[in-house]
Amino acid sequence: MSSKVHENYRPLANFRPSIWKDTFDSMSSPKLELEYDKQFEELKEQVKEMLSTASSTEDPVKEVILINSLCRLGVSHHFETEIEERLYHIFETHPDLAAENDYDLYTVALIFRIFRQHGFKMSCGVFNKFKELDGKFKESVVSDVRGMLSLYEATQLRVHKEDILEEALTFTKAHLKKISLAPYTSPHLANHITEALQQPFNTGVPRLEELKYISFYEHEESRNDTLLKFAKFDFNHVQLLHKQELSYLTSWWKDLNFASIYCYMRDRLVEIYFWSMAQHYKPCYSRARIIVTKITMMTMVIDDTYDAYGLLDELQCFTDAIERWDIDALSQLPDYLKPLYRSLLNLFEELNNEVTEEGRSYSISFTKEMVKEVVRAYFVEAQWFREGFVPSFDERMSNALISACCVLLPAATFTGIREIAGVHAFEWLQSKPKVMISSFTILRLIADLVSHKDEQKRGHVASVVESYMEEYGTSRMETAEKFKIMITNLWKDINEECMRPTVVPLQLITGIVNVARIAEVFYKEVDGVTNPEYLKDYVRKLFVDPIPL
């Protein structure tokens, strides 16, 4: 599938320029008006009172339903401690909650999903009461559309050997498709079902899912207007912070002038910030978003240099210089690579100065080593391409996980999270935990499926798709089906790894799982980083247009 290329060949990709130009130059948001700020705080107190009132009742289901609304609307980050305490209390005092009383399918499935999403391994046996003696689901539940949709979303939290959830997934998907097309189904509900079938809540980017749910909730007859208004205020409130960060990063990127120096690269600052925000959107992770964006943009320039421009001897020089990590190595580099190398060293020196004051210099030392590992992986791929070598699937995947920044990206994120990412968290990363490998494997499988054809046209190392096809003699369609099965099983691994007790705080694991969710969105149809028009509407919704109040 691949052949040796001429040593002086530069596989230029002619990537499209940034579509955002000066959009975010002056996006540093004005200070919130006092009246707006006052309303926000008043609404927050009212919602907090709702949570307190629900907790004081003797009906834990009401609490769970409210917690679900807080999570789906994106405002649960204001009440994380209260939610954690209440769910833990309910799970301990009512271990058979979903099986108690005569709860309908909607309620049982919602309870199951909420607890699993928060790491509590509730038994899937709670759904047995909705089955006939012959083992099939009761046809009577088909008319309960809310219940069917709730069950469908619950199945996304399944782990291995949960046959009842596999059956439930097949059952609900088949019937929900019919329901969405039925003339008796309201357009509002039909649209909600269609979107859920296309993108289940659990595998979607949290911030996008919350925005989508706000729109759905607004048209619900049973909506709580105070909660809805607070969700809208909060979305806009957080969006202001994201705009400020994006404006700062835009200025930083323009000062580097890399878009002009490295005209062969993908100029994708906005899309990469979207990526970092999709990992952790909450206000408390501002520093992590900025660090991840900066480091990822640097590695993207390096990646495109190795993939789409550099000659092998130039890349060897750069790889050696990265290993040395010394400004004196600058002299051995081709002139065009000197600004990149100098800027990378400067960035890490600045970050090191910051974290050293906090007693966390180990975070930068570890992240630096991961940059070296990634660059080595880039060089291996450049060699394979030049030699026309198609590695085995396992060998290709092993290197592809590194070049996908499997450890580097979480390390950069952890560097920016002070309170909960200590030495132990970095040691955990070094052990390459299953949840991390699973999440980044999903990323690589999905990304290569949509991008490999265009890459091969211009000249590129064999992707995991080509390696699989070569090794197993499958067609592209057959390979895609095999990959879908792998991705399904990897999600089961991820769901299992998120169950308590976890080795590190669940917040850290969630950021890593969000990489798989990003893959499901960024690469659903095309490579959204290479083709930024695909992500344009998302960017406008998240960073440009506030929700009308």
Side-chain angles (χ1 to χ4, degrees), residues 236-255:
N236 293 345
H237 200 267
V238 175
Q239 188 187 67
L240 288 174
L241 174 61
H242 292 164
K243 286 180 179 180
Q244 291 169 344
E245 292 169 3
L246 195 44
S247 178
Y248 160 73
L249 285 163
T250 299
S251 176
W252 165 80
W253 182 242
K254 289 200 171 185
D255 286 347

Side-chain angles (χ1 to χ4, degrees), residues 47-148:
V47 175
K48 189 173 183 178
E49 182 61 29
M50 284 184 210
L51 194 56
S52 177
T53 301
S55 300
S56 64
T57 67
E58 294 184 4
D59 186 357
V61 171
K62 287 184 178 179
E63 280 191 79
V64 174
I65 290 173
L66 176 58
I67 288 170
N68 175 61
S69 296
L70 296 175
C71 292
R72 293 297 303 264
L73 291 168
V75 296
S76 59
H77 63 99
H78 291 287
F79 316 104
E80 285 182 346
T81 301
E82 294 93 331
I83 289 173
E84 166 70 17
E85 289 176 353
R86 292 312 304 163
L87 288 179
Y88 182 81
H89 175 76
I90 294 169
F91 194 75
E92 289 295 308
T93 56
H94 300 274
D96 299 315
L97 176 64
E100 289 175 358
N101 303 316
D102 191 24
Y103 297 133
D104 61 10
L105 179 59
Y106 169 80
T107 303
V108 171
L110 186 147
I111 292 170
F112 177 86
R113 176 174 57 77
I114 279 292
F115 277 101
R116 284 229 171 165
Q117 280 173 198
H118 287 83
F120 297 94
K121 194 169 184 178
M122 181 168 284
S123 170
C124 61
V126 296
F127 297 110
N128 280 321
K129 65 181 179 180
F130 300 104
K131 299 182 81 174
E132 302 281 10
L133 293 176
D134 62 3
K136 295 180 180 179
F137 278 94
K138 296 177 181 177
E139 285 299 322
S140 59
V141 301
V142 175
S143 60
D144 180 4
V145 182
R146 283 202 325 154
M148 291 287 284

Side-chain angles (χ1 to χ4, degrees), residues 161-197:
K161 298 181 180 180
E162 292 191 318
D163 293 343
I164 189 171
L165 293 182
E166 297 290 352
E167 295 164 16
L169 177 61
T170 303
F171 176 73
T172 53
K173 280 179 71 173
H175 286 287
L176 286 171
K177 285 178 184 177
K178 294 177 184 176
I179 292 168
S180 68
L181 299 171
Y184 60 80
T185 306
S186 70
H188 164 61
L189 184 57
N191 182 59
H192 187 50
I193 292 170
T194 301
E195 288 189 347
L197 290 173

Side-chain angles (χ1 to χ4, degrees), residues 52 71 81 113 168 176 219 332 416 428 440 486 491:
S52 177
C71 292
T81 301
R113 176 174 57 77
L176 286 171
H219 295 92
Q332 74 185 50
W428 178 74
F440 278 84
M486 291 182 200
W491 269 112

